[in-house]
């Protein structure tokens, strides 16, 4: 069997979509195991850009694409995305959805907007797409699942109960108008009709593929530092985008995972609120953002940019048990002069080589940097590792040494062809 997992090692936006697309050429299945349409994966094929939200990034090449039990699905977004890429010539008849995946409802989106607007509440910087409230209902055992859309009587009962509770909150606490049951029921009844042929029990399908030695590629959204358990809580997502999240999010044994592939940008970015130890503010940070095109694939929000944080990198490597790292966007560093990598944190006079749980302490953290010489050459058309500038290779090799994990692939541009394979994954 060959179970490959691709995860982000920073705060997302590392280029997982591109790497999954490349690997999916030889994959029999690509399985998305968590997150929702708050994730934006960009795939560039022959200069043509595809921005995917719910669909697995392997949809353009892989055999079967699975939206797993750990994903939360907005049916409207799913259908819009299917329609959008079909109009561009892509096929989607190989996309299936787990009957255990939870459904994002209009009241989840409304609650998300409210929580981000309440004055005294910590602003997380969510995309306001209902992901967090949907996961909250899942954990409190009030969620509606895809299986419920196949039984309209059961769906009606659950919707009526949930909407009664949510409308109490909307009207009595926030002074808003109640949501209309009939309107929502009819809308989702229509969605159910359009997607019912895709809703199946994906667990035996995925496990059978692994048992038959098919290549199954598991795709996470977001990244390590947005993990609900190990990220910069509370500035995190509501699921586990780590390698460990695969077992619960896809329904497989950890013994069926052969490779953990971490995608790491050659510098660091994050979107939204929360601590960012190596952030570069001002003109130089803006310059990196401009060169790297660092704007959210779904929201268009500008990403905060900073030097490569290898305290975060080591943390991600260890927790995920990575076997390989793919370094992306190293071409962005060309011509920037001296480069810095963060190797440790100084907090209140003490040196830390691990990410602390206390998010507040990160606000007063001093990054300890190691400085390396940069390079000026354009590397976007280079195909072989030995042809990279000497200082570029020194940068990659120093990062690899600190992480204790091989960097197997280096991406030197956005297209699926712009990769240098140092060792086979």
């Amino acid at each position: 069997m060959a179970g490959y997992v691709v995860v982000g090692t920073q705060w997302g936006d590392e280029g997982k979509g591109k790497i999954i697309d490349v690997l999916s050429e030889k994959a029999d299945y690509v399985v998305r195991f968590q997150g929702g349409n708050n994730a934006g994966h960009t795939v560039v094929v022959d200069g043509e850009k595809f921005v995917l939200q719910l669909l697995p990034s392997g949809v353009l090449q892989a055999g079967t694409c699975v939206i797993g039990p750990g994903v939360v699905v907005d049916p409207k977004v799913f259908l819009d995305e299917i329609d959008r890429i079909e109009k561009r010539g892509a096929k989607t008849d190989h996309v299936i959805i787990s009957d255990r995946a939870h459904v994002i409802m209009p009241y989840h989106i409304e609650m998300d907007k409210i929580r981000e607007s309440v004055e005294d509440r910590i602003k997380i910087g969510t995309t306001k797409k209902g992901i967090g409230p949907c996961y909250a209902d899942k954990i409190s055992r009030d969620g509606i699942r895809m299986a419920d859309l196949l039984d309209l009587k059961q769906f009606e009962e659950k919707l009526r109960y949930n909407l009664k509770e949510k409308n109490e909150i909307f009207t009595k606490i926030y002074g808003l108008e109640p949501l209309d049951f009939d309107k929502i029921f009819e809308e989702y009844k229509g969605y159910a009709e359009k997607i019912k042929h895709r809703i199946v029990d994906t667990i035996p399908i995925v496990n059978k593929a692994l048992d038959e030695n098919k290549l199954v590629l598991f795709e996470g959204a977001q990244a390590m530092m947005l993990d609900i358990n190990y990220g910069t809580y509370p500035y995190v997502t509501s699921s586990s985008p780590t390698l460990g999240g695969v077992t619960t999010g896809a329904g497989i044994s950890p013994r069926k995972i052969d490779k953990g592939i971490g995608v790491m940008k050659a510098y660091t970015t994050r979107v939204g609120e929360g601590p960012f130890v190596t952030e570069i503010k001002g003109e130089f940070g803006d310059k990196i953002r401009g060169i790297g095109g660092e704007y959210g694939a779904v929201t268009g929000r500008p990403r905060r940019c900073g030097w490569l944080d290898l305290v975060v990198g080591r943390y991600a490597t260890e927790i995920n048990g990575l076997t390989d790292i793919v370094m992306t966007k190293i071409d962005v560093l060309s011509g920037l002069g001296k480069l810095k990598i963060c190797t440790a944190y100084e907090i209140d006079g003490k040196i830390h080589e691990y990410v602390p749980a206390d998010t507040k302490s990160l606000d007063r953290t001093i990054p300890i940097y190691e400085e390396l010489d940069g390079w000026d050459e354009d590397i976007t058309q280079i195909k072989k590792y030995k042809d990279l500038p000497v200082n570029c290779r020194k940068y990659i090799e120093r990062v690899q040494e600190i992480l204790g994990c091989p960097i197997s692939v280096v991406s030197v541009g956005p297209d699926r062809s712009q990769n240098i394979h140092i060792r086979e994954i």
Side-chain angles (χ1 to χ4, degrees):
M1 75 192 109
Y4 287 17
V5 182
V6 178
V7 294
T9 60
Q10 297 157 317
W11 279 275
D13 309 310
E14 299 94 348
K16 296 183 298 297
K18 172 190 172 177
I19 303 308
I20 293 158
D21 173 63
V22 169
L23 293 173
S24 68
E25 185 178 9
K26 57 183 180 180
D28 299 292
Y29 290 77
V30 177
V31 182
R32 171 84 177 272
F33 64 86
Q34 50 77 225
N37 58 297
N38 54 341
H41 291 170
T42 302
V43 176
V44 180
V45 183
D46 297 328
E48 188 177 2
K49 184 165 78 170
F50 292 82
V51 177
L52 305 169
Q53 293 174 258
L54 269 171
L55 296 179
S57 299
V59 69
L60 302 176
Q61 295 204 94
T64 300
C65 288
V66 179
I67 295 176
V71 180
V72 291
V73 180
D74 184 324
K76 182 179 187 303
V77 171
F78 174 79
L79 288 166
D80 286 348
E81 193 170 346
I82 288 283
D83 182 60
R84 190 168 67 247
I85 74 162
E86 283 184 344
K87 284 179 178 176
R88 296 177 67 181
K91 71 182 187 73
T92 64
D93 56 353
H94 58 313
V95 179
I96 57 176
I97 307 173
S98 169
D99 53 5
R100 290 174 168 82
H102 279 247
V103 183
I104 295 174
M105 303 298 296
Y107 48 78
H108 293 136
I109 297 170
E110 192 66 30
M111 185 61 72
D112 213 356
K113 293 176 181 176
I114 290 169
R115 287 176 175 171
E116 280 293 290
S117 64
V118 173
E119 284 188 15
D120 296 333
R121 194 173 187 272
I122 294 174
K123 301 296 184 293
I124 306 300
T126 79
T127 54
K128 303 186 181 79
K129 296 180 184 295
I131 282 60
C134 185
Y135 274 117
D137 272 4
K138 174 180 178 176
I139 298 304
S140 64
R141 301 178 292 269
D142 290 323
I144 291 173
R145 302 196 295 178
M146 280 289 161
D148 298 317
L149 295 183
L150 300 179
D151 183 341
L152 289 180
K153 186 175 185 302
Q154 184 165 277
F155 172 63
E156 181 181 3
E157 290 172 358
K158 288 189 174 185
L159 176 60
R160 199 175 291 281
Y161 171 81
N162 279 318
L163 200 55
K164 180 181 178 183
E165 180 184 63
K166 298 299 189 287
N167 277 338
E168 288 281 302
I169 295 170
F170 295 150
T171 58
K172 294 183 179 178
I173 297 178
Y174 296 108
L176 300 174
E177 291 295 315
L179 299 182
D180 184 82
F181 169 84
D182 291 329
K183 182 181 177 182
I184 295 173
F185 180 75
E186 288 302 314
E187 180 184 352
Y188 277 72
K189 181 180 173 184
Y191 297 150
E193 185 62 32
K194 290 178 180 178
I195 63 175
K196 64 183 182 182
H197 64 289
R198 299 184 187 270
I199 302 172
V200 296
D201 186 354
T202 60
I203 294 173
I205 294 171
V206 174
N207 277 283
K208 183 173 184 247
L210 287 165
D211 292 342
E212 291 177 349
N213 291 316
K214 301 283 179 66
L215 177 54
V216 182
L217 187 59
F218 296 95
E219 168 188 346
Q222 292 92 32
M224 173 72 205
M225 295 308 293
L226 293 175
D227 183 89
I228 189 68
N229 296 306
Y230 306 110
T232 46
Y233 189 90
Y235 305 98
V236 292
T237 194
S238 301
S239 57
S240 293
T242 56
L243 188 140
V246 176
T247 59
T248 55
I252 65 159
S253 163
R255 290 182 295 180
K256 294 184 178 182
I257 298 172
D258 297 294
K259 283 185 178 287
I261 303 163
V263 185
M264 177 179 294
K265 201 176 284 185
Y267 49 99
T268 308
T269 64
R270 82 169 295 174
V271 173
E273 306 298 326
F276 185 177
V277 173
T278 63
E279 184 171 9
I280 305 169
K281 296 183 179 179
E283 190 176 327
F284 196 73
D286 292 341
K287 182 178 181 179
I288 294 174
R289 182 184 303 114
I291 296 170
E294 296 297 350
Y295 297 89
V298 173
T299 63
R301 290 187 294 177
R303 296 174 187 143
R304 299 153 65 191
C305 298
W307 296 116
L308 181 59
D309 187 335
L310 292 184
V311 178
V312 165
R314 279 194 304 261
Y315 183 56
T317 301
E318 183 169 337
I319 286 181
N320 288 287
L322 298 179
T323 59
D324 300 84
I325 289 172
V326 176
M327 179 174 280
T328 61
K329 302 191 86 164
I330 197 165
D331 52 296
V332 174
L333 300 182
S334 294
L336 293 183
K338 293 283 187 179
L339 305 174
K340 296 179 181 179
I341 53 176
C342 175
T343 58
Y345 296 163
E346 182 183 329
I347 306 174
D348 301 331
K350 295 182 179 179
I351 303 301
H352 295 254
E353 294 186 346
Y354 226 73
V355 178
D358 178 16
T359 303
K360 282 292 183 186
S361 72
L362 292 173
D363 293 333
R364 56 183 190 275
T365 295
I366 300 170
I368 296 175
Y369 286 119
E370 184 175 310
E371 196 169 77
L372 292 89
D373 291 327
W375 59 94
D376 294 322
E377 297 92 331
D378 178 1
I379 63 173
T380 56
Q381 302 307 313
I382 292 176
K383 301 295 183 184
K384 296 180 179 179
Y385 183 68
K386 67 181 180 63
D387 294 334
L388 287 171
V390 171
N391 287 340
C392 181
R393 280 183 274 130
K394 285 183 177 179
Y395 186 89
I396 294 165
E397 287 156 17
R398 181 59 181 141
V399 172
Q400 180 175 258
E401 181 183 15
I402 292 169
L403 295 176
C405 180
I407 295 176
S408 301
V409 179
V410 178
S411 170
V412 294
D415 199 88
R416 65 159 61 138
S417 64
Q418 291 176 286
N419 301 299
I420 296 171
H421 294 264
I422 303 171
R423 67 194 286 265
E424 189 66 29
I425 292 183

